[in-house]
């Protein structure tokens, strides 16, 4: 599953389009004319042309272009990077759903271009990289003051989709605002995950994807995939690199739930137990199981709750909280992960486990799910970008602890670079004292800013320890 | 260290001295004589699915047809029983002679072979030559060896000495390519000056249609560097007891790094090199001597490390000094620990089994080779070094599209369980797999492998 995911490229917010902006509006106008043509084509398949047209038009008026500038801590300095994506307004109070790789908590400013070409600023309500979704809200005071109008779309039911069904993707490919492309649903239940797909963040573990052949290009990200009635059945997110017409969207069923959580609390809380599932197909007879029963434990994260209660690889989980589970095929894994994730954090899960022919009950206490990506920061005078080491990162890299910080970039000819610090080095000690984490390093940096002196750093890389001196 | 081969040096020097006095023979004549000290050795590395031919140059060490091959002639991972069909050629001749592989020396991993008797009369051992020290600007010449389809024709090469540097061996650099690797370099008087070393990887800028590219280039069969004969001859080691004998010295330090100048200065170490230690293996000689992680080694046997260029050479120096010593010998290390000097005496131990010496077995039906777990696996797999238990066996090879391959087994996997039962030793795994393969109607079996920080349950089909 990782292999597949590696081939998948984010339908990135396209960058460096600012220069083209004026031209883009012109193109957008021309495109509007063209859209009506596309429409008439759609009428032939719809029962009630008038109704379809109006609901589809309403959808078009609810799709927005999103220009984002965000902070980047890469390369040993704090920089502002810009990108363009798409989004869809889903409520009267201006709540917009888009991709997490379009708008993240690092956004400095978010500008939304409405269908009527007016521009309004927006703020982030919350993001969820696991499903690659983010919610933003228009500055409604400004909207009212200026008397701006917009439409909002509504969700369809992604569970009702059938392969072959006609769908449309609407968005801002390569900065071309409100581009509509047409295709069909190619698959309703695609599964892949990506361990570091969203700027290093994990994605795709808790959802399956809709696959479509509607053209999806960079800038389409966050735009809606809609059915003939103009109902949002997915959020366009990714496309295959080097392939044609293989686009992927988050199903509306997932998006609706995530959006609700993001609006209510700014995040999606998930539980974690440290069980890495495998696929049971072809293994049923070996484990003397009936077909369509149980979940294979492929791996147990060291030190995780599942590890602590003695869950072992090659155990079979038959049920969780008396709910029977079935993990025969890869496509069945995300719902099971979701089931575990939706248990309250810190609650007990009762697992019925098959091991060596006998069944035993195990109780596991859930933890909060954390990303492998910790907080990032740049120390500009050192020319050093670092990231807090999360427990997940420490586990993944077989580190003894989550102490220290990991170098994610340096600026050439600055002290960190000259000292020989490189991306991937873990700074474990500063001036012979253990470094706990980022906050401690920020404190030390403050001291350096007041009075620059040489600093001795101990770094670890693949178990090799070396020493480096940062000189002012 | 004993030196078996160069006892007659004093005599040789004397004779050569007289020769020079009379007047050095013409280069052409010298070339014709000296080329008899160089041979070409061809052999195969046999793997589960193919045979890879290797061709290297070697020099004749003695009158019994003993040949010395450079240290990189045989890849370090290759078990001795996978080295097949040693053949020897005289440069410029297609006649094939046989040879026997005798193993590697314990200090430098140079290799020895002995040629068949019928070839010996055609060879001249290098101990007949006077040894010369390369001088800056001196004119030197060497023997190049052409490719196999050119009958390994020897050809004349000429350059001048650019510089001589301790790396930590004394390496001579010539102004141009001066010999083939493993071949010889002489002075115009016919003195033995050096032994062709590894070709340099030269940085070059390529400009193609106005576009600039940075490229690193080597000429694989010609080199401008050579081991200086004065030092090299002294370091030619004795023959190993057997081709696969394991008497390699070991102290159990992992991750030795040279300190950079700023750090050394910060620690009060001026005008010298020093080495930091990342990890000490449990129960190793270094651990017993009290060496600790993060110690800074500053001296050996009371002698402070010289300031090497580049700095990292000091690590090779220490490792070579260790390798040269016999098991049971003592190394006195001066160490800086939290700023305080500490003196330690490390008693050299013998190296735990190497991966190439580990037991291994190829299962044709399954399409993989398993091999015994060795100490170095613990380091490469990122496992704690203080665990004593054998954690399983290593998958050493997976044949493409075999049953193991289809099941998702990967080379480097650690097999921890078979059919739900924990396995530890190599013999136990072999026994288990053999038993599984003997059951007639068995369709598949299940193994648990560990890979990085994760495990995987894999079903291997027996169809």
């Amino acid at each position: 599953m990782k292999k597949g995911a590696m081939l998948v490229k984010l339908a990135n917010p396209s960058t460096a389009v600012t220069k083209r902006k004026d031209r883009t509006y012109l193109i957008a106008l021309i495109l509007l004319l063209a859209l009506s043509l596309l429409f008439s084509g759609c009428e032939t398949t719809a029962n009630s042309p008038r109704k379809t047209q109006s609901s589809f038009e309403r959808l078009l008026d609810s799709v927005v272009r999103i220009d984002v500038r965000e902070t980047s801590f890469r390369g040993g300095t704090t920089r502002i990077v810009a990108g363009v994506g798409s989004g869809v307004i889903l409520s009267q109070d201006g709540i917009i759903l888009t991709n997490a790789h379009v708008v993240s908590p690092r956004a400095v400013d978010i500008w939304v271009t409405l269908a009527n070409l007016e521009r309004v600023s927006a703020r982030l309500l919350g993001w969820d990289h696991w499903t690659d979704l983010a919610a933003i809200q228009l500055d409604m005071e400004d909207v009212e003051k200026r008397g701006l109008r917009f439409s909002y779309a509504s969700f369809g039911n992604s569970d009702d989709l059938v392969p072959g069904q006609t769908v449309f993707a609407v968005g801002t490919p390569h900065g071309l605002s409100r581009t509509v492309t047409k295709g069909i649903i190619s698959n309703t239940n695609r599964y892949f995950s990506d361990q570091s797909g969203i700027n290093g963040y994990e994605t795709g573990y808790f959802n399956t994807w809709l696959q479509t052949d509607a053209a999806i290009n960079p800038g389409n990200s966050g735009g809606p995939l809609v059915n003939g009635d103009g109902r949002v059945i997915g959020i366009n997110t990714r496309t295959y690199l080097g392939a044609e017409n293989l686009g992927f969207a988050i199903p509306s069923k997932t998006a609706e739930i995530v959006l609700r959580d993001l609006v209510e609390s700014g995040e999606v809380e998930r539980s974690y137990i440290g069980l890495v599932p495998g696929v049971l197909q072809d293994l049923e007879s070996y484990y003397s199981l009936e077909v369509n029963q149980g979940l294979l434990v492929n791996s147990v994260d060291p030190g995780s709750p599942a590890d602590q209660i003695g869950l072992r690889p090659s155990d079979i989980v038959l049920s969780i909280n008396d709910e029977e589970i079935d993990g025969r095929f890869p496509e069945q894994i995300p719902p099971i992960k979701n089931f575990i994730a939706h248990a309250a954090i810190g609650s007990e899960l009762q697992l019925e486990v098959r091991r060596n022919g006998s069944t035993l009950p195990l109780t596991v206490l859930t933890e909060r799910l954390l990303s492998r990506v910790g907080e990032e920061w740049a120390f500009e005078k050192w020319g050093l970008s670092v990231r807090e080491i999360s427990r997940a990162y420490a586990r993944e890299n077989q580190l003894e602890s989550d102490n220290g910080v990991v170098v994610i970039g340096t600026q050439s000819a600055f002290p960190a670079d000259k000292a020989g610090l490189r991306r991937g080095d873990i700074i474990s000690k500063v001036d012979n004292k253990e470094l706990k984490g980022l906050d401690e390093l920020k404190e030390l940096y403050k001291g350096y800013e007041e009075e620059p002196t040489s600093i001795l750093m101990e770094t670890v890389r693949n178990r090799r320890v070396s020493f480096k001196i940062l000189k002012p | 260290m004993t030196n078996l081969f160069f006892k007659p040096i004093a005599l040789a020097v004397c004779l050569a001295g007289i020769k020079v006095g009379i007047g050095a023979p013409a280069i052409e004549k010298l070339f014709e004589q000296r080329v008899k000290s160089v041979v070409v050795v061809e052999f195969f590395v046999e793997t589960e699915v193919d045979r890879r031919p290797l061709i290297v140059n070697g020099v004749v060490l003695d009158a019994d047809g003993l040949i010395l091959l450079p240290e990189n002639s045989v890849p370090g991972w290759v078990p001795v029983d996978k080295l097949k069909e040693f053949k020897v050629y005289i440069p410029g001749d297609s006649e094939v002679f046989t040879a026997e592989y005798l193993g590697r020396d314990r200090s430098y991993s140079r290799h020895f072979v002995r040629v068949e008797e019928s070839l010996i009369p055609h060879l001249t051992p290098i101990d007949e030559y006077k040894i010369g020290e390369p001088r800056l600007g001196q004119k030197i010449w060497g023997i190049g060896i052409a490719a196999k389809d050119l009958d390994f024709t020897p050809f004349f090469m000429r350059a001048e000495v650019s510089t001589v540097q301790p790396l930590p061996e004394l390496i001579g650099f010539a102004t141009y390519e001066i010999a083939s690797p493993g071949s010889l370099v002489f002075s115009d008087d016919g003195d033995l000056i050096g032994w062709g070393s590894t070709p340099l990887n030269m940085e070059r800028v390529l400009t193609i249609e106005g576009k600039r590219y940075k490229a690193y280039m080597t000429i694989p069969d010609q080199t401008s560097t050579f081991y200086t004969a004065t030092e090299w001859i002294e370091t030619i080691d004795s023959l190993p007891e057997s081709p696969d004998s394991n008497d390699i010295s070991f102290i159990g330090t992992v991750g030795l790094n040279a300190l950079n100048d700023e750090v050394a200065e910060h620690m009060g170490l001026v005008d010298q090199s020093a080495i930091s230690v990342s990890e000490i293996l449990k129960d190793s000689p270094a651990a017993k001597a009290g060496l600790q992680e993060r110690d800074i080694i500053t001296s050996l046997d009371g002698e402070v490390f010289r300031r090497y260029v580049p700095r990292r050479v000091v690590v090779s120096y220490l490792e070579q000094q260790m390798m040269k010593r016999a098991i049971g010998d003592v190394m006195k290390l001066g160490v800086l620990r939290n700023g305080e000097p500490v003196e330690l005496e490390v008693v050299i131990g013998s190296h735990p089994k190497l991966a190439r010496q580990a037991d291994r077995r190829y299962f044709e039906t399954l399409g993989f080779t398993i091999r015994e777990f060795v100490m170095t696996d613990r380091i490469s797999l990122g496992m704690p070094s203080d665990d004593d238990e054998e954690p399983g066996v290593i998958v050493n090879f997976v044949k493409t599209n075999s049953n193991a391959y289809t099941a998702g087994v990967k080379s480097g996997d650690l097999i921890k369980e078979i059919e739900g039962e924990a396995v530890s030793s190599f013999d136990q795994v072999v026994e288990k797999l053999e038993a599984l393969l003997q059951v007639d109607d068995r369709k598949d079996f299940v193994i648990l492998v560990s890979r990085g920080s994760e495990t995987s349950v894999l079903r291997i089909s027996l169809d």
Side-chain angles (χ1 to χ4, degrees):
Chain A
M1 66 185 166
K2 274 178 198 159
K3 198 171 165 191
M6 264 162 45
L7 295 168
V8 175
K9 183 187 193 290
L10 293 172
N12 260 330
S14 61
T15 44
V17 293
T18 32
K19 269 185 277 174
R20 282 194 280 156
K21 220 175 258 175
D22 297 336
R23 199 157 54 98
T24 308
Y25 287 123
L26 195 73
I27 294 169
L29 279 171
I30 298 165
L31 279 175
L32 263 181
L33 296 171
L35 282 183
S36 57
L37 285 175
L38 187 83
F39 245 25
S40 49
C42 174
E43 276 173 39
T44 53
T45 55
N47 295 333
S48 160
R50 260 196 87 75
K51 187 175 160 251
T52 310
Q53 192 168 10
S54 70
S55 61
F56 203 95
E57 255 174 3
R58 223 179 67 171
L59 175 271
L60 288 178
D61 286 346
S62 66
V63 178
V64 297
R65 166 192 172 118
I66 305 176
D67 285 88
V68 185
R69 294 196 310 147
E70 63 172 23
T71 313
S72 157
F73 296 111
R74 304 291 159 92
T77 181
T78 312
R79 280 177 305 151
I80 300 289
V81 293
V84 182
S86 312
V88 56
I89 308 176
L90 282 161
S91 76
Q92 218 167 347
D93 48 1
I95 289 172
I96 297 168
L97 189 59
T98 181
N99 277 143
H101 73 265
V102 174
V103 187
S104 81
R106 290 199 199 120
V108 181
D109 49 37
I110 307 165
W111 287 99
V112 172
T113 308
L114 301 172
N116 60 12
L117 309 184
E118 292 290 347
R119 227 176 331 156
V120 190
S121 87
R123 69 184 178 97
L124 179 71
L125 295 176
W127 84 316
D128 181 50
H129 62 84
W130 297 98
T131 54
D132 203 348
L133 291 169
I136 59 175
Q137 186 171 25
L138 294 172
D139 179 349
M140 289 307 284
E141 255 178 56
D142 191 39
V143 168
E144 273 161 38
K145 209 164 66 190
R146 289 162 64 192
L148 299 176
R149 294 178 158 274
F150 55 81
S151 287
Y152 61 92
S154 46
F155 283 115
N157 188 350
S158 54
D159 281 354
D160 292 344
L161 292 169
V162 287
Q165 185 176 340
T166 303
V167 288
F168 303 86
V170 193
T172 319
H174 294 290
L176 303 173
S177 302
R178 302 171 61 235
T179 297
V180 182
T181 54
K182 180 183 156 186
I184 56 168
I185 290 286
S186 308
N187 187 294
T188 56
N189 199 26
R190 183 69 63 209
Y191 173 54
F192 56 79
S193 58
D194 190 341
Q195 197 191 13
S196 55
I198 304 181
N199 289 327
Y201 287 89
E202 309 89 332
T203 198
Y205 291 84
F206 300 102
N207 59 278
T208 55
W209 305 76
L210 300 175
Q211 185 183 326
T212 178
D213 67 350
I216 292 179
N217 285 290
N220 265 114
S221 283
L225 188 70
V226 301
N227 61 15
D229 294 337
R231 289 195 174 256
V232 178
I233 44 97
I235 297 296
N236 300 320
T237 303
R238 320 192 115 212
T239 175
Y240 253 65
L241 254 186
E244 277 171 26
N245 307 330
L246 298 176
F248 301 94
I250 315 282
S252 62
K253 195 190 179 189
T254 303
E256 269 191 276
I257 299 166
V258 171
L259 177 66
R260 190 195 60 208
D261 285 1
L262 292 180
V263 170
E264 272 174 19
S265 56
E267 61 180 333
V268 183
E269 284 199 338
R270 290 191 181 85
S271 275
Y272 162 86
I273 59 171
L275 184 169
V276 182
V279 171
L280 258 183
Q281 187 176 18
D282 296 336
L283 286 168
E284 293 92 346
S285 64
Y286 169 75
Y287 287 109
S288 332
L289 292 168
E290 284 164 33
V291 169
N292 301 327
Q293 183 193 23
L295 175 78
L296 172 66
V297 179
N298 206 35
S299 188
V300 176
D301 290 344
S304 66
D307 189 24
Q308 283 164 26
I309 59 154
L311 195 70
R312 295 208 308 238
S314 98
D315 280 351
I316 306 292
V317 180
L318 296 171
S319 71
I320 302 175
N321 287 352
D322 292 329
E323 191 108 3
E324 283 185 8
I325 50 178
D326 170 15
R328 187 158 185 235
F329 303 112
E331 288 80 355
Q332 291 174 310
I333 301 294
I336 299 172
K337 285 192 165 173
N338 246 330
F339 182 75
I340 296 169
H342 276 95
I345 294 164
S347 67
E348 284 183 351
L349 292 179
Q350 312 293 334
L351 309 181
E352 193 192 348
V353 174
R354 174 78 57 90
R355 179 182 298 167
N356 298 335
S358 54
T359 305
L360 62 154
L362 289 174
T363 305
V364 63
L365 201 63
T366 65
E367 272 180 11
R368 189 191 171 84
L369 173 74
L370 296 173
S371 169
R372 59 190 289 281
V373 181
E375 189 193 341
E376 294 180 356
W377 198 253
F379 299 102
E380 302 214 321
K381 288 188 175 161
W382 288 338
L384 174 67
S385 305
V386 299
R387 181 191 280 165
E388 185 96 75
I389 295 175
S390 69
R391 256 187 326 211
Y393 182 88
R395 222 156 15 216
E396 178 187 315
N397 292 282
Q398 295 170 281
L399 307 177
E400 278 171 28
S401 76
D402 55 4
N403 284 350
V405 297
V406 61
V407 176
I408 56 169
T410 56
Q411 195 172 6
S412 106
F414 273 64
D417 176 58
K418 284 200 279 186
L421 283 162
R422 295 290 174 266
R423 193 184 157 86
D425 283 348
I426 288 163
I427 303 173
S428 49
K429 280 187 187 175
V430 177
D431 284 337
N432 291 318
K433 279 213 309 247
E434 303 270 355
L435 181 70
K436 287 252 158 48
L438 185 56
D439 289 341
E440 268 189 23
L441 195 57
K442 284 182 185 172
E443 277 304 309
L444 288 161
Y445 182 72
K446 242 185 242 170
Y448 179 90
E449 276 189 315
E450 280 159 21
E451 194 189 339
T453 50
S454 287
I455 291 171
L456 175 66
M457 286 188 174
E458 180 193 289
T459 62
V460 183
R461 186 186 192 102
N462 296 336
R463 287 170 87 164
R464 285 183 86 96
V465 178
S466 52
F467 298 94
K468 278 134 194 175
I469 297 261
L470 265 72
K471 278 182 162 175
Chain B
M1 186 192 45
T2 52
N3 187 325
L4 288 182
F5 311 107
F6 287 91
K7 279 172 193 149
I9 278 183
L11 183 65
V13 168
C14 174
L15 288 174
I18 294 165
K19 263 190 203 164
V20 172
I22 297 163
I27 291 287
E28 198 184 344
K29 201 88 187 150
L30 279 175
F31 185 87
E32 204 177 293
Q33 291 167 357
R34 299 297 191 261
V35 88
K36 290 182 175 162
S37 298
V38 180
V39 295
V40 181
V41 176
E42 185 187 39
F43 59 97
F44 293 96
V45 171
E46 190 177 77
T47 73
E48 287 81 350
V49 286
D50 61 9
R51 308 177 89 202
R52 299 171 200 171
L54 285 172
I55 293 175
V56 290
N57 303 316
V59 293
V60 184
L61 285 184
D62 66 11
D64 295 326
L66 186 64
I67 307 292
L68 183 71
L69 305 178
E71 74 272 15
N72 45 10
S73 319
V74 181
W77 54 269
V78 180
V80 168
D81 63 355
K82 300 291 176 200
L83 300 173
K84 306 279 182 187
E85 290 182 30
F86 279 81
K87 290 175 204 151
V88 175
Y89 302 84
I90 297 173
D93 197 332
S94 60
E95 195 179 343
V96 185
F97 298 89
T98 59
E100 182 194 1
Y101 180 68
L102 301 178
R104 66 190 83 201
D105 73 14
R106 56 191 299 279
S107 316
Y108 293 91
S109 280
R110 295 167 185 155
H111 300 263
F112 298 103
V113 295
R114 195 183 303 280
V115 300
E116 64 171 276
E117 230 162 89
S118 64
L119 180 60
I120 294 174
H122 305 286
L123 305 176
T124 307
I126 55 170
D127 57 8
E128 291 191 7
Y129 309 132
K130 184 185 163 196
I131 308 300
E133 201 169 331
R135 297 184 318 274
L136 192 88
Q138 181 187 6
K139 280 190 171 177
I140 50 174
W141 62 273
I143 300 167
I145 306 287
K148 187 180 182 184
D149 58 350
L150 300 172
D151 281 351
F152 304 114
T153 302
F155 55 92
F156 180 81
M157 299 178 78
R158 150 109 36 228
E160 289 161 3
V161 177
S162 284
T163 180
V164 177
Q165 296 289 332
L167 294 173
E169 307 93 340
L170 272 184
I171 299 288
F173 291 79
T175 46
Y176 300 102
E177 281 67 36
I178 184 67
S180 289
S183 175
L184 294 169
V185 178
F186 296 93
S187 71
D188 281 357
D189 298 333
D191 295 353
L192 179 59
I193 296 290
W195 187 35
S197 177
T198 320
L200 288 178
N201 201 8
M202 299 297 281
E203 187 179 330
R204 294 283 182 264
V205 176
L206 282 182
T207 311
I208 301 172
E209 292 186 349
K211 270 194 178 170
R212 283 163 68 88
Y213 301 90
K214 198 155 94 175
Y216 291 88
M217 295 192 173
T218 56
I219 308 174
D221 61 350
Q222 293 179 25
T223 179
S224 57
T225 68
F226 54 90
Y227 293 101
T228 55
T230 41
E231 191 189 71
W232 164 53
I233 292 299
E234 293 300 317
T235 61
I236 295 176
D237 216 340
S238 50
L239 278 174
E241 272 175 30
S242 74
D244 199 19
S245 70
N246 181 10
D247 58 350
I248 299 171
S249 299
F250 171 77
I251 59 169
T253 51
V254 180
L256 298 179
N257 277 341
L259 293 193
N260 67 35
D261 288 353
E262 283 82 14
V263 176
E265 199 189 306
H266 185 91
M267 294 181 174
L269 302 168
V270 193
D271 232 16
Q272 72 160 101
S273 292
I275 300 169
S276 66
V277 183
S278 302
E279 200 177 332
I280 310 284
L281 296 175
K282 192 193 167 197
D283 296 334
S284 65
K288 284 177 191 152
L291 198 66
Q292 295 177 7
E293 291 174 11
R294 275 59 163 177
D295 276 354
I296 309 291
I297 307 174
T298 56
S299 70
L300 171 63
D301 293 340
E303 256 182 74
V304 168
F305 295 131
R306 63 182 283 177
R307 193 163 174 274
Y308 283 97
V309 183
R311 304 287 174 269
R312 62 173 188 276
V313 170
V314 70
V315 176
S316 318
Y317 170 75
L318 180 67
E319 281 169 351
Q320 270 182 15
Q321 289 300 314
M322 190 260 296
M323 297 298 263
K324 279 182 188 173
R325 287 166 203 230
I327 291 153
D329 278 4
V330 170
M331 264 177 115
K332 280 189 194 161
L333 296 179
V335 161
L336 206 57
R337 181 179 299 159
N338 302 322
E340 296 297 318
V342 181
E343 288 283 327
L344 298 169
E345 289 195 355
V346 185
V347 182
I348 309 260
S350 70
H351 201 290
K353 206 179 231 188
L354 296 157
R356 69 165 179 267
Q357 293 166 324
D359 291 333
R360 63 188 69 214
R361 175 75 160 272
Y362 178 53
F363 289 87
E364 177 77 47
T365 350
L366 304 174
F368 71 5
T369 300
I370 56 164
R371 108 168 136 62
E372 184 186 5
F373 185 89
V374 293
M375 184 275 296
T376 45
D377 291 319
R378 221 175 263 290
I379 298 165
S380 56
L381 293 176
M383 300 165 74
S385 66
D386 51 6
D387 201 344
D388 289 330
E389 275 178 37
E390 257 188 293
V393 298
I394 299 285
V395 176
N396 201 63
F397 165 80
V398 180
K399 188 178 172 183
T400 309
N401 295 327
S402 64
N403 285 330
Y405 181 93
T406 313
V409 182
K410 292 194 166 63
S411 179
D413 282 354
L414 172 69
I415 301 180
K416 297 175 76 164
E417 290 179 10
I418 296 176
E419 288 285 279
E421 225 177 280
V423 291
S424 56
S425 76
F426 176 78
D427 292 341
Q428 187 193 0
V429 173
V430 169
E431 203 177 299
K432 252 188 127 53
L433 289 177
E434 277 180 344
L436 282 170
L437 289 169
Q438 267 162 18
V439 183
D440 274 345
D441 54 351
R442 185 149 197 126
K443 280 212 195 79
D444 55 15
F445 67 99
V446 172
I447 62 172
L448 177 74
V449 301
S450 152
R451 186 182 300 156
S453 59
E454 287 201 354
T455 60
S456 246
V457 179
L458 303 174
R459 167 188 168 268
I460 302 181
S461 160
L462 291 175
D463 292 340

